[in-house]
Amino acid sequence: MRKNTDPTTNDVAETDHGPLIWIRPILTVTILLTLIALLDTRFGLRPALGPLLNPYNGVWLRPLSPFEARDGKTILLEGVSAPVEIQVDRDQIKHIFAQNDEDLYFAQGYVTAADRLWQMEFLTRLAEGRLSEIMGRRTLEFDKYFVKIGLSEAAKASSDLMLEDPLTGLALRAYARGVEAYRKTLTPDRYPFEYKLLGHEPMPWTADRAALLLKFMSYNLSGLSYDVPLTRSYGKFARNDFASLYPLDVEIPEPIVPKGTKWSFGSRAPQAPPPQLFQPNVSKLSPIPLPHAGNGSNNWAVTGKKSTTGHPILSNDIHLGLSLPSLWYEVQLVTPKMNAYGISLPGAPGIILGFNDKVAWGVTNGTTDILDWFELRFRDEKKSEYLYDNVWRPVISREVKIPVRGEPEQTVLLRRAHLGPIVYDEGETPIFPTVPTGLAMRWGALEGTNELRTFLLLNRAKNLKSCREAIEGFQAPDQNFLCADQKDVGLWHMGRYPVRWAGQGRMVGDGSSSLYDWHGWIPRNEVPFAQNPERGFLSSANQSPTDQSYPHYLGWGFEPPFRGMRINEILRSKPRFSPEDFVEMQFDTVSVAAKLAAPPMLKALEGAAGLTANETKAIETLAKWDYRHDTKSLGAALFSAWWRALEDRMYARVLPDRTHYKYPEALRTIRIIQNEPQAKWFDDPETPTTETLKEASLAALRSAMKEVEEKTGASDPSKWTWAAYRKTRFEHMGRIPGLGNSSLEAPGSPNSIFANTSTHGPVWKLVVALGPGKPKAWGMFPGGQAGDPLSRHFDDFVEPWVKGEMKEIVFLESSSEANPRLRSKWKLEGKNP
Amino acid sequence: MNDRRTDKRSSAPSKVKTTATDGSSARRSSAFDLKATLLEAAFVGIIVLCGAFLPWWGIVFPAFLRGLFDRATPHVARWSGVSTGVAWLLAAIYQDAVAGGRISGRLGALFQLPVGALIHLLLFVIAFAIGALAALTGHQLRALVSSLRERQAA
């Protein structure tokens, strides 16, 4: 036997004839092949390390958008009929100049795919219920949910409408061809990052997929409702207490349409049935969480008489989930007949929000309740028939297959009543927890609709009249459309609203009686609307669109009025506003809720005995606080925790948690604090004494201080800053760890104009000053133009967003216009097949 | 790079035929050997070419061939591993530098590493292991063939 046993030296005992001379290479090659196999294998969603880390064609070879190259060039593509010029600015915003609509949308599809292909596929798969095909079991419940509610069926009906329409059909087809032209240039080594990470190929893009995106936005903005949590709260309170805490006629301090507006029509709603006719079976209602309060928006505009420019100025910021890549994609679209700028939804042609050379428009979520739940009475345990107006109707059932990566297909049973889907059967675990079991859902967005037409017409609007024409066909999700041209401003609360009796749809309804069904639709010329009001401004912030004088019942669960109150408070504060004032306003962090609630809460503490030094310091801090939620604000964290603690003290004895039950509206609670310091809600029945606001406020403050101390990790109240208490999180759209940002220090609060709730916030901010010449505009969205996490344009707008900065928009009038922010010029030209 | 064991074997009985007696070890042990360095650089270049045109595991081919035919380099497996690792590491550092460090930062976060740069270490270790094992396989195969030849000749 050889003496040398070091296998790594060359001095092999070549005369060794023992069995090891055979075993060694076999063993080594076995180890080598095993290692290669392990490194080449995906384990679930975990990527194979070998190909991922290969620096020659793994993620290291950056599959950046070609438009990030320093020098522009001409790209020859099949399907371009006339040359298209694309100016790329330093932020990777593309300014597309085409000679006709078809080439324009083709180019938009091409450049958007170059930056955001994975995101486009991801979101449409989510809406379609096909995410598990690439993500595996972990997204199966999302898929089941979206399949069960019928979102993809509604999208199919919508895409049929859109493709039939000459304007939207042309745009969708051209856009899809542009996407495909880019997709086909990709080889596996140049697939965008997430494709490499998750190990799948880009799917072909077809014209109908944009409808899925738009339906997904409908779900995002109107696909949840308060019905079940409120019904469960109703089951917990005595009737008179419920009526006092949750009044149907809520206080509306600042409706969208100015108070006192006269209506030229009356109500046609039927008489409400007596309440004893139907009582929802509260005990059978599954606990479902409340809709996320972070989705919202602000818009406002001043007329020429209230602006420093003498012409209207418009501002809009929309609040959605903070994600990377950003939901939006900024672009300028120019043809000889149109010049529009704004944000687009990657995957859909045109500009959703923005302005053109004549008109600016912005939206806020309308929040009128267009989703109702109905209790069904089944004939027997088979639940194949249900009662409706004394007739047994069949439940329509069918099976749908959902492909799951690495597993056999899953079968989902869809069940429908005439009202809508029964998403989860009674007794079935609602795995997607926002939906109750055993109830039928009626949701206004589950129909074929063509929202895209509205946006493409807005892109071409010339004045307020054409704005109105563009939006009058808009159905869902309902929006407060604010438009401004060079002299007028107008605002419409636009959507397809059901006619209902007052209070209908607020809680779970009776699915066995047509009395509880929707009673037609509110005519489009009767939706809330205002134009050039005397006060010189219009605004909306998801609050109630009208006061109680409006003849139709629109719903109950509008957003709290505080942002709207703050906007109007500022707009009333001086005679004229400049665009710069609006930029500053968008970063305002004052909470009117705090401004109303903190003084009486503090006043109640006057004369409190037995305070510690820290408690005295905390009270002093709150007394000096200016109600701002800036990162260094000292009162903001304390008040936020104090308010929640006081609310819990008032209601948690009755309502076990604030997630699955609806607490009374904040303004109602504030009024109790202001006007009813002896109210029974402040008393703790477990103590022999009767507590009032005074005792409740102190107990809540002590509890709040403990919470803030724990969250900030500091016992000294001078270190309890808002940023130390709360971090802002941008998650990756596909929830891939490491690709988001979870520790940002950003200002804002849910009730501020800068409505940063830590996971939701302003995802697009725009200010436009209109006038006889070229409009001047400022914009910002958190994220960046690139969808590739390895590009510096993936998140380069996040830091300016945190600081409240907005960039002046490069709005070009021609492709040859010079601007110092332009970086490269590209051309798309036709190529023979 | 000569180690203690090689030196020992140099003075081993003459009936044991070793590559260490051909003078290469002595050449390696000198402070700087231009030829060896150039050969090593050429090997790195071949790894780079394989990276550009073959799947990630294509690096086994040059490493295996080197193990099979390179009789001059002591510790050929170790050297092949180091050179393969260096070829990957340099490419990764270059790409990362072009991207302003974002790639290692993102991947580090993805794999929940405390420091993004550790991804470079992981990458080096993978390339080293594959290169070394491939070269060792070649080297051991050569030893087997030599042994069989000798047995036949005997």
Side-chain angles (χ1 to χ4, degrees):
Chain A
M1 290 292 291
R2 64 188 284 263
K3 299 277 190 305
N4 177 21
T5 55
D6 180 357
T8 65
T9 64
N10 262 27
D11 355 324
V12 173
E14 292 183 356
T15 52
D16 192 341
H17 301 301
L20 272 181
I21 199 84
W22 285 95
I23 293 170
R24 273 198 305 249
I26 293 170
L27 193 65
T28 312
V29 83
T30 305
I31 294 170
L32 174 65
L33 293 178
T34 307
L35 184 62
I36 290 174
L38 283 175
L39 290 168
D40 206 41
T41 305
R42 303 183 61 83
F43 294 95
L45 274 186
R46 291 188 185 89
L49 279 181
L52 182 80
L53 295 181
N54 176 10
Y56 297 98
N57 57 18
V59 294
W60 303 84
L61 190 67
R62 300 167 65 215
L64 295 178
S65 153
F67 298 100
E68 288 199 31
R70 194 182 301 265
D71 300 313
K73 61 179 185 180
T74 299
I75 303 172
L76 298 178
L77 294 168
E78 282 176 30
V80 179
S81 64
V84 179
E85 291 183 301
I86 303 171
Q87 288 277 17
V88 180
D89 70 24
R90 70 173 184 206
D91 295 317
Q92 278 298 305
I93 295 161
K94 280 77 178 177
H95 307 258
I96 304 171
F97 294 82
Q99 293 170 42
N100 57 62
D101 286 350
E102 202 162 348
D103 286 341
L104 179 78
Y105 295 120
F106 178 95
Q108 189 189 4
Y110 188 88
V111 301
T112 310
D115 279 323
R116 302 289 187 90
L117 187 62
W118 185 83
Q119 167 185 358
M120 291 159 57
E121 177 171 343
F122 176 81
L123 285 180
T124 51
R125 276 184 177 275
L126 177 62
E128 196 178 14
R130 280 181 63 191
L131 208 49
S132 306
E133 196 176 358
I134 58 167
M135 304 287 273
R137 176 163 281 274
R138 73 173 187 160
T139 55
L140 184 57
E141 301 315 323
F142 285 96
D143 284 348
K144 281 184 180 174
Y145 173 73
F146 284 115
V147 166
K148 281 183 166 191
I149 64 171
L151 205 64
S152 67
E153 287 172 21
K156 173 76 179 65
S158 293
S159 72
D160 288 348
L161 283 177
M162 291 177 191
L163 290 167
E164 275 170 26
D165 181 278
L167 177 64
T168 52
L170 176 145
L172 284 171
R173 289 186 183 93
Y175 187 93
R177 282 191 291 104
V179 174
E180 278 296 275
Y182 179 75
R183 186 186 68 86
K184 285 175 182 167
T185 66
L186 292 174
T187 50
D189 60 323
R190 299 202 71 82
Y191 283 170
F193 184 80
E194 287 93 341
Y195 286 105
K196 287 185 175 180
L197 204 60
L198 299 171
H200 69 105
E201 292 182 356
M203 73 190 302
W205 188 265
T206 47
D208 55 354
R209 298 200 73 73
L212 287 162
L213 277 172
L214 294 164
K215 283 295 171 203
F216 178 72
M217 288 305 290
S218 289
Y219 165 76
N220 221 347
L221 295 169
S222 68
L224 299 169
S225 79
Y226 291 116
D227 302 18
V228 174
L230 184 67
T231 309
R232 297 183 81 228
S233 298
Y234 171 76
K236 289 284 182 184
F237 284 103
R239 295 293 170 262
N240 57 338
D241 286 341
F242 183 82
S244 157
L245 292 172
Y246 303 86
L248 187 57
D249 280 338
V250 292
E251 183 186 349
I252 305 172
E254 287 281 1
I256 294 170
V257 175
K259 279 185 175 180
T261 300
K262 302 287 177 223
W263 307 101
S264 60
F265 49 87
S267 169
R268 284 185 286 279
Q271 186 66 34
Q276 62 273 22
L277 197 66
F278 170 72
Q279 292 290 309
N281 192 339
V282 178
S283 63
K284 281 171 78 178
L285 287 177
S286 51
I288 70 162
L290 291 161
H292 197 288
N295 285 343
S297 317
N298 306 314
N299 59 18
W300 64 86
V302 288
T303 57
K305 73 174 186 185
K306 206 171 167 61
S307 80
T308 55
T309 61
H311 297 278
I313 307 173
L314 176 142
S315 172
N316 183 207
D317 55 293
I318 51 172
H319 316 152
L320 292 168
L322 299 170
S323 72
L324 289 172
S326 165
L327 186 62
W328 301 106
Y329 185 72
E330 207 168 329
V331 71
Q332 182 176 5
L333 302 178
V334 189
T335 64
K337 294 180 180 171
M338 175 181 92
N339 186 356
Y341 187 105
I343 47 166
S344 63
L345 202 52
I351 285 166
I352 304 289
L353 299 171
F355 62 99
N356 62 32
D357 45 353
K358 300 273 189 287
V359 163
W361 68 96
V363 300
T364 63
N365 198 22
T367 62
T368 284
D369 179 14
I370 56 163
L371 192 157
D372 288 341
W373 290 100
F374 296 90
E375 194 176 297
L376 299 176
R377 286 184 217 170
F378 292 106
R379 184 166 204 164
D380 51 34
E381 283 305 305
K382 286 191 285 184
K383 295 179 181 171
S384 54
E385 289 176 284
Y386 65 97
L387 194 66
Y388 183 73
D389 279 352
N390 300 317
V391 175
W392 292 106
R393 290 192 173 201
V395 171
I396 310 295
S397 305
R398 73 181 175 93
E399 289 185 346
V400 171
K401 306 273 186 201
I402 298 179
V404 183
R405 183 176 186 161
E407 290 183 31
E409 280 184 337
Q410 293 275 319
T411 304
V412 175
L413 182 65
L414 308 190
R415 300 177 73 239
R416 273 182 170 277
H418 75 286
L419 293 159
I422 306 160
V423 185
Y424 291 110
D425 241 335
E426 202 174 316
E428 194 179 355
T429 310
I431 309 165
F432 196 79
T434 51
V435 175
T437 61
L439 303 183
M441 174 175 84
R442 180 148 196 199
W443 178 28
L446 287 183
E447 294 175 9
T449 53
N450 188 355
E451 294 84 19
L452 187 62
R453 182 174 168 78
T454 292
F455 295 114
L456 297 191
L457 288 174
L458 280 170
N459 292 186
R460 294 160 171 77
K462 299 291 174 208
N463 49 39
L464 207 62
K465 184 170 172 283
S466 48
C467 257
R468 159 79 212 197
E469 286 163 5
I471 65 174
E472 68 186 3
F474 194 86
Q475 292 200 20
D478 71 308
Q479 300 290 301
N480 299 307
F481 281 92
L482 177 64
C483 281
D485 63 17
Q486 291 163 357
K487 59 184 178 67
D488 299 311
V489 297
L491 197 154
W492 294 264
H493 180 73
M494 187 57 82
R496 193 174 185 225
Y497 301 119
V499 172
R500 289 179 288 196
W501 34 267
Q504 187 184 350
R506 193 160 82 120
M507 289 191 275
V508 173
D510 184 359
S512 66
S513 166
S514 55
L515 282 175
Y516 292 79
D517 207 347
W518 293 354
H519 308 281
W521 306 99
I522 295 176
R524 291 308 172 101
N525 57 359
E526 295 183 8
V527 298
F529 158 69
Q531 183 176 337
N532 296 334
E534 190 54 37
R535 66 187 188 185
F537 67 87
L538 284 168
S539 73
S540 78
N542 318 110
Q543 76 272 43
S544 178
T546 63
D547 61 14
Q548 283 85 352
S549 69
Y550 181 63
H552 299 290
Y553 174 73
L554 284 172
W556 180 83
F558 295 102
E559 288 289 300
F562 307 116
R563 279 183 285 113
M565 291 166 80
R566 177 63 181 162
I567 292 165
N568 291 2
E569 178 182 67
I570 297 176
L571 292 175
R572 287 190 185 103
S573 67
K574 63 180 188 176
R576 287 182 184 272
F577 285 84
S578 67
E580 290 76 15
D581 291 332
F582 278 16
V583 169
E584 197 181 317
M585 259 180 88
Q586 290 221 8
F587 201 48
D588 185 88
T589 62
V590 168
S591 162
V592 168
K595 209 172 178 176
L596 294 173
M601 287 164 73
L602 275 170
K603 191 164 186 294
L605 296 179
E606 281 174 10
L611 296 177
T612 64
N614 263 6
E615 285 165 4
T616 306
K617 208 169 171 181
I619 291 169
E620 283 169 7
T621 302
L622 284 163
K624 283 184 211 157
W625 183 43
D626 58 3
Y627 313 115
R628 290 186 187 278
H629 290 72
D630 299 331
T631 50
K632 292 191 166 46
S633 290
L634 282 176
L638 255 178
F639 176 78
S640 175
W642 190 22
W643 170 259
R644 283 176 67 87
L646 185 60
E647 269 193 319
D648 284 345
R649 197 178 160 85
M650 292 170 73
Y651 308 125
R653 278 189 301 278
V654 184
L655 304 177
D657 70 81
R658 58 164 68 229
T659 308
H660 301 93
Y661 293 86
K662 175 102 178 83
Y663 269 26
E665 287 296 335
L667 186 58
R668 178 73 194 105
T669 301
I670 288 171
R671 296 302 183 219
I672 294 173
I673 292 168
Q674 287 173 330
N675 307 324
E676 303 169 51
Q678 313 291 328
K680 66 178 178 181
W681 309 112
F682 297 118
D683 182 39
D684 180 354
E686 287 177 14
T687 62
T689 53
T690 303
E691 285 86 4
T692 63
L693 173 64
K694 186 182 180 76
E695 291 79 21
S697 187
L698 182 59
L701 181 67
R702 285 179 172 148
S703 155
M705 288 175 68
K706 202 171 157 198
E707 190 206 317
V708 177
E709 190 173 330
E710 275 169 19
K711 279 198 177 172
T712 58
S715 56
D716 180 358
S718 65
K719 292 183 177 153
W720 293 349
T721 61
W722 186 229
Y725 177 74
R726 190 201 70 165
K727 297 283 184 271
T728 295
R729 298 197 306 274
F730 283 72
E731 284 205 77
H732 181 263
M733 199 169 267
R735 300 291 185 268
I736 299 173
L739 301 187
N741 191 334
S742 58
S743 56
L744 279 168
E745 295 191 350
S749 77
N751 293 320
S752 314
I753 295 177
F754 190 76
N756 171 18
T757 69
S758 86
T759 57
H760 287 62
V763 294
W764 167 240
K765 306 199 312 172
L766 175 73
V767 171
V768 188
L770 294 141
K774 184 165 128 174
K776 260 188 109 175
W778 292 258
M780 177 58 67
F781 68 86
Q785 284 289 91
D788 179 355
L790 307 182
S791 165
R792 73 186 179 87
H793 298 292
F794 180 65
D795 54 4
D796 54 346
F797 297 161
V798 171
E799 206 178 313
W801 177 85
V802 165
K803 292 177 184 163
E805 293 170 8
M806 289 175 76
K807 58 187 164 57
E808 189 173 342
I809 282 170
V810 177
F811 183 67
L812 302 175
E813 289 183 311
S814 78
S815 63
S816 56
E817 186 178 327
N819 188 296
R821 279 165 52 191
L822 296 178
R823 285 290 174 272
S824 60
K825 190 172 183 178
W826 298 71
K827 203 179 239 190
L828 305 185
E829 282 187 3
K831 166 173 103 167
N832 291 329
Chain B
M1 284 301 293
N2 233 343
D3 66 11
R4 187 172 51 81
R5 217 165 3 208
T6 315
D7 293 337
K8 228 177 182 179
R9 208 170 294 117
S10 301
S11 58
S14 60
K15 70 172 187 175
V16 178
K17 185 181 168 190
T18 70
T19 54
T21 57
D22 64 4
S24 63
S25 299
R27 192 174 68 225
R28 279 277 179 187
S29 66
S30 64
F32 179 73
D33 184 330
L34 180 64
K35 188 178 171 190
T37 307
L38 288 175
L39 284 171
E40 210 60 60
F43 180 69
V44 170
I46 291 167
I47 295 287
V48 170
L49 285 175
C50 286
F53 296 107
L54 296 176
W56 74 273
W57 45 263
I59 50 178
V60 299
F61 299 120
F64 173 78
L65 292 173
R66 182 177 179 186
L68 197 60
F69 296 115
D70 183 356
R71 295 167 63 97
T73 311
H75 311 291
V76 68
R78 216 175 284 170
W79 275 103
S80 296
V82 168
S83 297
T84 310
V86 166
W88 270 37
L89 187 63
L90 289 178
I93 287 173
Y94 170 75
Q95 299 279 11
D96 200 23
V98 169
R102 276 183 298 279
I103 306 180
S104 58
R106 289 280 180 212
L107 288 178
L110 191 68
F111 291 106
Q112 293 169 340
L113 301 176
V115 181
L118 281 178
I119 206 76
H120 291 124
L121 182 66
L122 177 65
L123 175 143
F124 178 84
V125 168
I126 288 173
F128 173 86
I130 300 294
L133 282 168
L136 187 60
T137 306
H139 173 70
Q140 289 173 341
L141 193 64
R142 176 165 60 83
L144 174 65
V145 171
S146 302
S147 168
L148 291 176
R149 274 189 191 148
E150 278 184 23
R151 196 186 289 180
Q152 260 183 345

